[in-house]
Amino acid sequence: MMKFVSAMAVMLGLFSLPVMAAGDAAAGKDKSASCMACHGAEGKVSMPMYPNLAGQNAMYLEHALQAYKKGERNGGQAEVMKAYVSPLSDADIADLAAYYSSLKP
């Protein structure tokens, strides 16, 4: 029900979501090498202190990576993530999000 209400609100223009570019999953796979150290091969972790990325919602991943890049997330591993994402372009972020969202959880 909540999804329906949110969708209707967006359609009616009551609020808008940021526009995110659709990423290229194949390009994201090529760009994911540095992510594997913490998030595991194919986005599945071996150390529980890091989140699994496989199957995660692409829009969520894009928002999260952008927030790390802008310094809007803090605590935990935020400074480590900021170092990894700061050189990424918006297209790189969209590609990584597309890749990880395409994987089976």
Side-chain angles (χ1 to χ4, degrees):
M1 180 66 175
M2 197 62 187
K3 286 182 183 181
F4 175 76
V5 171
S6 295
M8 291 302 296
V10 169
M11 288 187 332
L12 294 173
L14 299 177
F15 67 88
S16 63
L17 297 173
V19 175
M20 296 290 184
D24 178 336
K29 182 176 183 176
D30 292 341
K31 297 172 185 179
S32 70
S34 64
C35 306
M36 290 181 196
C38 298
H39 297 285
E42 309 239 345
K44 296 178 183 167
V45 301
S46 59
M47 295 181 60
M49 72 181 282
Y50 303 113
N52 286 318
L53 300 180
Q56 184 59 265
N57 179 284
M59 186 179 287
Y60 169 79
L61 288 172
E62 284 190 62
H63 282 286
L65 291 173
Q66 291 289 354
Y68 282 122
K69 186 174 178 175
K70 295 173 185 174
E72 296 171 351
R73 283 193 170 196
N74 50 48
Q77 298 292 317
E79 288 304 311
V80 173
M81 283 298 299
K82 186 174 181 181
Y84 277 103
V85 300
S86 64
L88 298 178
S89 69
D90 290 347
D92 293 334
I93 289 172
D95 293 344
L96 286 166
Y99 169 63
Y100 283 112
S101 69
S102 74
L103 300 175
K104 275 192 161 181

